[in-house]
Amino acid sequence: MAGHTSAAAARTGNNPFLRFVAALSTLAGWCSAAMIVASVAITCQMIVIRFVLNGSTIWQTEAVIYLMIAATLVGLPYVQRLRGHVNVDLVPLSLPRRARFILAVITSLLSITIIAIMLWYGFEYWHFAMERGWRSDTVWGVRLWIPYLSIPVGFGLLLLQLVADFIALMIGADRPFGLEDA
Amino acid sequence: MDPLLLGGIVAVLTILVLFSGVSVAIGLLIVSAGFLIVFDGPRSLELMPEILFGKLDNFALLSIPMFIIMGASIASTRAGADLYEALERWLTRIPGGLVVSNLGACALFAAMSGSSPATCAAIGKMGIPEMRKRGYPDGVAAGSIAAGGTLGILIPPSVTMIVYGIATETSIGRLFLAGVIPGLLLVGLFMGWSLYSTWRSGDAARLGSGSYTWAERFEILPRVLPFLAIIIGVLYAMYGGIATPSETAAVGALLCLVIAVVIYKLWNPRDLWVVLRDSTKESVMILFIIAAAGVFSYMLSSLFITQSIAEWIGTLEVNRWVLMGAVNVFLLIAGFFLPPVAVILMAAPILLPIITTAGFDPIWFAVVLTINMEIGLISPPVGLNLYVINGIAPDISLRTILLGSLPFVACMILAIVLLCLFPGLATWLPNLVMGGAI
Amino acid sequence: SATELRLSHQWSNNDIRHKVAQMVADEVAAADVDLNIKIFGSKSLFKPREQYKPLSRGQLDMTVLPLSYAGGQQPAYNLTLMPGLVKNHDHAARLSASPFMEALEEKMAEDDVMVLVHGYLAGGFAGKDKCITAPEDVQGLQTRAAGKSFEQMLAGAGASIASMASSEIYNAMQTGVLQAANTSSSSFVSYRIYEQVSCYTPAGDVALWFMYQPLLINKTTFEGLSAEQQAALRTASEKAQAYYLEEAKKEDAASAKVFADAGVEIAQMTAEDFDAWRELAKETSYKQFVAEVPDGQQLLDLALSVE
Ligand code: NA
Ligand code: NA
């Protein structure tokens, strides 16, 4: 039944690379939390402007949306490190040690591949938006490469954390799926 | 290839991938990428980050972390214990009063938190040890909290209702109101069952033996005031013309953080960080699933699977209630394995046209769907509330928790049946407050 | 086997813009040139504002959308939702065939996009407590406007601008967060705004709000088709364009009828009101447009020169 709340963060052992990635992911988590707090503040500011001062609210909705997207994407590596992304671990739980290890290797490699794809095309999309000078079609007119930057950054950091998890698995610093031996 | 056959293949492969133990969100991305490469060509992969970003580009999603923060900040204070204690002092004479207090506290807490695990944790931290101390069986203690916690997504505010509202473009304000009466109905059923089982066990006399003076009872009431302030504040902001439902969530989050800091003295930065960390963790997890499920539904739509299934069901000549039964079984099974948001996002685009052509109200259906998801929260293998109980009371075995929550699952199924017989349970309040159906 | 083109749009099946797309698809199929158009309606494939990017990169073949949605990619497109630039539907049709539109089509070509069917739809104003006809009517009201240029003009008239999705207008009006809204005739009806307002100012003899909503195709994709296929698409599009214009005219009256039947007061914008708005627009949205877009003045003059 592990995998969500009960499981501890991914283990790093004394490996410097693993610890570096863990620190980076934690930093990303702080940034993500800060962006969520900023969204609370901006939304409340918007309500005050509109309801109390009857003023115009031009940029707030858009700013909050982009902050939430960035909070999500930049928060990915941190949640991965905390093993906070839910999974169905029925099959891994029921497998013997060796098979569980092999399954963990396969799922790790698949995860790394798909996130690498997201990083690659996410970077390309971000770059395209910057080259073309795309802006949002609002009065505020945000240069879109700024919010889009969260795609390569978020997936890049997630990829790093996934690679670190894979290394931890291979060198035995962490157990397959973070599960205790049955 | 026939889109229906293709749909079947997608379903089977998705199940296989998700069962491998990969994270749900990443699994959905893997399946989507695989089918897009094969059927739309490798170039369609270019679109994936763009679609993922687009799915998150929605102001209403703001309310998810906000309603989670509301619950988490209050849960980190002794507010949950206060609430629970107040109810206990008043209900102690009733045999089985402690379970009833716990369920009542869960229901009240659910009116502040948008997520079920948060509700479960807030009340369970105090409730489970207390019940066990007083001699309630482990199964009853764990089961009632696990089930009571699920009310978090039925009694407004609710993260799943927000996600449903976004996926189906139904009014979130209306959806919230629709959950109120069914939520109370469920609380009633849960309490009824608890009282009955206590009475039947023959331990009634022993279990009702706490005693408090009237002075003690009144003395604790002021400590429930912050709760009322938050609930009334949020309702007033939402329905009183101050803010849209999504904006209200931020007001609620701020209100709860302020109350936690000012009234409950939660001013140690470390404690505040724990609140933020847990909220961020749960929100990011949910939002990533939402984004990935968005890519998945793009794939289903691009392969014309969604459209073909809707058309195919339309041509079936079955009784609408047989259809509703089938839909419920499907949701129930999906809920066993997947967290609520994933089920809603993948199923809503396919199910909604079916439901509306069969003449069912989408608001009513949201409630039925949510109760199905509640069952999923306390069933293995992915039952978020089970993890929470496991964290609070690691020495209670999973088997005991499951057996303890089984009667509550029966209550939920009964509630679904009642909703089918009397759809007004869900639709009456929103229609009363917000006018005729839209 | 037959070539398949994918067309994405945001509208429901009984919307005029879906019917235009369906008409082109049916005509092309009837022409028997091995060409199929598969329609993904009701935003089942892409979100409304996310159609232009894949279209311009050739990941989507066709779409029907308000061109101003892509104003962030080509600022010149903001002229296709500019207050007071179009007076009525016939004027809109003349604009579609003018050097102004040719200039815009050059911009589209830069993004590898071309027009198959031209068409404008009109819209109006709705007020929760009062009628909105002249600029002074919006003073101090929380207003939701469709489109950047309208927001600039309404802000110039002293309205407070609240930005929200059109799907949120209904609830925001109901709870009083919003007191006025400006959007297309069809959106007013499909979101049942008539249940929440006391007065509606539909597009009539003069209307302020016109939005260019063409059927577009990726240029490279089009050029990759055979000569017969291209000809069939062109013929179908011509037919659809005539239909689009006819239906667009009916739309405004139909929306007014829905509002009137719901007991909502119907107000008319006079020629003087229109001129007052236009003067205001010149000082606000036109000015800001010209400041933002390098060849903005030239494009604006081209548009204004259409009789
Ligand atoms: Na709730
Ligand atoms: Na489950």
Side-chain angles (χ1 to χ4, degrees):
Chain A
M1 282 306 313
H4 187 57
T5 322
S6 55
R11 291 174 208 181
T12 56
N14 278 323
N15 185 304
F17 174 71
L18 297 189
R19 297 176 78 160
F20 168 72
V21 174
L24 207 58
S25 294
T26 307
L27 181 67
W30 287 348
C31 294
S32 169
M35 287 189 272
I36 292 179
V37 172
S39 320
V40 177
I42 293 174
T43 311
C44 292
Q45 186 261 5
M46 166 165 77
I47 296 171
V48 170
I49 297 276
R50 193 181 55 215
F51 185 72
V52 182
L53 308 174
N54 195 24
S56 286
T57 48
I58 302 272
W59 56 273
Q60 287 89 342
T61 333
E62 217 181 334
V64 166
I65 292 173
Y66 293 141
L67 277 171
M68 288 311 310
I69 298 177
T72 305
L73 294 172
V74 172
L76 291 177
Y78 184 58
V79 178
Q80 174 64 29
R81 177 172 145 60
L82 296 179
R83 292 195 193 283
H85 293 298
V86 278
N87 64 344
V88 184
D89 52 8
L90 196 66
V91 173
L93 265 173
S94 61
L95 287 177
R97 260 183 69 186
R98 180 108 196 111
R100 188 191 287 178
F101 177 79
I102 294 170
L103 187 62
V105 169
I106 296 172
T107 55
S108 298
L109 289 176
L110 269 175
S111 301
I112 287 172
T113 312
I114 189 74
I115 297 306
I117 291 174
M118 296 300 285
L119 171 63
W120 176 263
Y121 290 115
F123 177 83
E124 199 195 73
Y125 186 54
W126 166 78
H127 189 254
F128 196 80
M130 185 149 86
E131 226 176 35
R132 289 279 185 102
W134 285 353
R135 286 169 176 268
S136 62
D137 59 329
T138 58
V139 174
W140 202 31
V142 179
R143 284 183 299 265
L144 283 176
W145 68 264
I146 301 170
Y148 286 176
L149 186 59
S150 62
I151 309 175
V153 169
F155 283 116
L157 290 172
L158 176 60
L159 183 64
L160 212 53
Q161 181 64 50
L162 285 171
V163 169
D165 288 353
F166 181 68
I167 292 172
L169 178 71
M170 297 313 281
I171 64 173
D174 204 1
R175 295 191 178 84
F177 301 99
L179 295 172
E180 299 299 322
D181 288 332
Chain B
M1 190 188 291
D2 173 45
L4 284 178
L5 175 65
L6 191 56
I9 297 173
V10 172
V12 170
L13 268 169
T14 307
I15 292 169
L16 282 180
V17 169
L18 291 184
F19 268 52
S20 71
V22 73
S23 323
V24 169
I26 293 184
L28 292 176
L29 289 179
I30 292 172
V31 176
S32 312
F35 280 94
L36 284 174
I37 291 176
V38 173
F39 291 93
D40 280 1
R43 269 204 75 196
S44 57
L45 289 185
E46 290 173 12
L47 278 166
M48 286 181 61
E50 191 173 337
I51 292 163
L52 182 129
F53 187 95
K55 293 294 167 179
L56 291 174
D57 186 352
N58 187 331
F59 187 76
L61 288 175
L62 165 77
S63 44
I64 290 174
M66 298 303 120
F67 284 133
I68 291 174
I69 290 181
M70 277 177 73
S73 55
I74 294 299
S76 68
T77 67
R78 31 154 254 280
D82 282 354
L83 178 66
Y84 162 81
E85 214 182 315
L87 282 169
E88 201 238 321
R89 287 189 190 183
W90 283 83
L91 298 173
T92 187
R93 287 284 173 78
I94 307 169
L98 203 54
V99 193
V100 173
S101 318
N102 270 302
L103 289 167
C106 283
L108 274 172
F109 199 88
M112 276 188 349
S113 163
S115 107
S116 283
T119 309
C120 201
I123 305 303
K125 266 187 283 187
M126 179 83 178
I128 293 181
E130 194 64 28
M131 278 194 277
R132 297 175 84 191
K133 205 170 77 192
R134 301 267 201 93
Y136 283 83
D138 287 353
V140 175
S144 62
I145 297 284
T150 67
L151 294 168
I153 55 169
L154 182 60
I155 295 177
S158 155
V159 166
T160 49
M161 292 281 197
I162 295 166
V163 172
Y164 180 90
I166 292 170
T168 63
E169 297 204 317
T170 31
S171 149
I172 292 170
R174 204 171 265 279
L175 288 169
F176 278 4
L177 286 171
V180 173
I181 294 179
L184 295 177
L185 171 75
L186 259 188
V187 180
L189 289 174
F190 288 175
M191 287 180 174
W193 163 256
S194 306
L195 290 176
Y196 170 75
S197 67
T198 314
W199 170 78
R200 204 193 44 179
S201 69
D203 288 339
R206 184 170 56 87
L207 292 175
S209 65
S211 70
Y212 294 94
T213 64
W214 284 102
E216 280 171 322
R217 290 182 179 176
F218 280 105
E219 172 215 71
I220 196 156
L221 281 185
R223 286 205 257 158
V224 186
L225 285 179
F227 270 86
L228 292 179
I230 293 166
I231 294 172
I232 292 171
V234 167
L235 284 179
Y236 179 67
M238 196 177 321
Y239 298 103
I242 295 178
T244 64
S246 345
E247 295 164 5
T248 300
V251 180
L254 186 71
L255 203 61
C256 285
L257 279 173
V258 168
I259 285 182
V261 171
V262 174
I263 299 185
Y264 296 104
K265 318 236 168 353
L266 182 84
W267 45 44
N268 181 342
R270 195 167 285 276
D271 295 339
L272 272 173
W273 165 243
V274 170
V275 170
L276 267 179
R277 183 198 63 194
D278 290 350
S279 309
T280 305
K281 186 173 139 187
E282 194 179 339
S283 312
V284 169
M285 181 267 285
I286 292 179
L287 289 166
F288 190 31
I289 292 179
I290 290 176
V295 176
F296 187 79
S297 69
Y298 169 83
M299 179 272 289
L300 287 185
S301 191
S302 179
L303 270 50
F304 233 65
I305 294 172
T306 317
Q307 298 88 330
S308 306
I309 293 179
E311 261 171 44
W312 171 66
I313 302 270
T315 61
L316 291 182
E317 303 239 334
V318 291
N319 180 292
R320 64 198 284 257
W321 291 106
V322 174
L323 190 68
M324 183 47 66
V327 166
N328 271 292
V329 170
F330 166 77
L331 288 174
L332 211 57
I333 295 174
F336 283 162
F337 301 106
L338 294 170
V341 283
V343 177
I344 293 177
L345 284 163
M346 290 194 289
I350 296 179
L351 291 182
L352 198 77
I354 301 173
I355 295 299
T356 45
T357 28
F360 293 102
D361 180 325
I363 301 277
W364 169 86
F365 179 64
V367 175
V368 170
L369 188 148
T370 303
I371 301 179
N372 271 301
M373 295 304 102
E374 288 186 71
I375 297 176
L377 285 169
I378 53 174
S379 66
V382 177
L384 294 184
N385 284 18
L386 298 176
Y387 298 131
V388 177
I389 304 285
N390 198 21
I392 298 171
D395 57 317
I396 304 183
S397 78
L398 180 64
R399 198 185 133 78
T400 312
I401 308 177
L402 279 174
L403 285 177
S405 34
L406 218 54
F408 296 97
V409 169
C411 291
M412 295 181 194
I413 293 173
L414 178 62
I416 294 176
V417 172
L418 287 173
L419 273 164
C420 290
L421 293 175
F422 310 105
L425 287 170
T427 54
W428 177 77
L429 189 61
N431 287 346
L432 178 78
V433 176
M434 306 188 71
I438 49 169
Chain C
S1 71
T3 312
E4 185 179 272
L5 298 179
R6 294 161 32 122
L7 187 154
S8 153
H9 69 67
Q10 71 197 80
W11 326 104
S12 68
N13 278 357
N14 46 28
D15 191 283
I16 156 178
R17 288 152 286 192
H18 171 75
K19 290 177 188 161
V20 167
Q22 190 66 56
M23 194 168 189
V24 172
D26 292 344
E27 292 286 322
V28 167
D32 203 17
V33 287
D34 269 348
L35 184 62
N36 263 333
I37 297 176
K38 195 170 193 175
I39 300 179
F40 294 79
S42 313
K43 356 176 185 179
S44 56
L45 203 56
F46 292 101
K47 288 171 75 178
R49 286 169 193 273
E50 277 144 26
Q51 298 172 112
Y52 187 83
K53 291 168 197 166
L55 179 79
S56 81
R57 299 174 78 190
Q59 294 149 334
L60 171 68
D61 302 315
M62 301 166 81
T63 183
V64 188
L65 91 173
L67 192 61
S68 72
Y69 281 2
Q73 282 107 67
Q74 288 284 2
Y77 295 169
N78 285 321
L79 273 182
T80 62
L81 178 61
M82 192 57 92
L85 213 57
V86 185
K87 297 185 192 81
N88 54 46
H89 286 286
D90 291 320
H91 186 217
R94 290 195 296 277
L95 265 170
S96 297
S98 69
F100 161 68
M101 196 53 77
E102 274 168 32
L104 277 190
E105 293 190 73
E106 269 169 40
K107 301 266 179 197
M108 291 184 228
E110 287 172 20
D111 286 346
D112 199 19
V113 167
M114 60 179 272
V115 181
L116 283 180
V117 179
H118 294 281
Y120 272 91
L121 289 179
F125 284 96
K128 187 169 170 62
D129 309 305
K130 62 176 192 179
C131 292
I132 290 152
T133 50
E136 53 271 23
D137 295 330
V138 296
Q139 177 82 37
L141 296 188
Q142 282 291 337
T143 308
R144 189 268 183 193
K148 177 177 172 172
S149 308
F150 274 85
E151 286 186 352
Q152 290 165 338
M153 180 189 73
L154 286 165
S160 297
I161 304 303
S163 52
M164 60 180 71
S166 48
S167 55
E168 281 200 88
I169 297 179
Y170 184 96
N171 281 325
M173 283 242 170
Q174 180 173 45
T175 57
V177 168
L178 210 61
Q179 289 130 17
N182 150 249
T183 189
S184 69
S185 303
S186 59
S187 292
F188 271 129
V189 173
S190 61
Y191 289 113
R192 298 169 73 114
I193 305 302
Y194 48 83
E195 290 175 5
Q196 297 301 336
V197 296
S198 65
C199 186
Y200 178 51
T201 312
D205 297 336
V206 287
L208 213 51
W209 198 96
F210 270 89
M211 193 186 219
Y212 179 59
Q213 313 195 27
L215 193 160
L216 303 173
I217 188 168
N218 178 274
K219 203 159 173 273
T220 308
T221 307
F222 182 80
E223 282 157 3
L225 298 174
S226 72
E228 298 85 61
Q229 288 171 330
Q230 291 187 3
L233 257 179
R234 293 238 187 247
T235 318
S237 300
E238 234 168 80
K239 201 169 160 189
Q241 186 164 321
Y243 168 81
Y244 200 1
L245 178 61
E246 278 316 300
E247 291 299 309
K249 287 178 181 172
K250 292 182 198 160
E251 196 107 314
D252 305 324
S255 76
K257 184 170 184 323
V258 172
F259 274 73
D261 288 349
V264 176
E265 183 185 348
I266 305 294
Q268 289 298 340
M269 192 175 282
T270 63
E272 292 78 58
D273 293 333
F274 180 84
D275 290 337
W277 281 112
R278 187 150 152 171
E279 281 312 307
L280 183 63
K282 279 181 189 162
E283 291 309 306
T284 53
S285 20
Y286 290 15
K287 210 172 182 175
Q288 283 166 54
F289 174 79
V290 169
E292 242 171 62
V293 185
D295 51 351
Q297 188 62 54
Q298 194 190 339
L299 285 165
L300 184 64
D301 290 341
L302 274 177
L304 290 172
S305 69
V306 177
E307 284 307 312

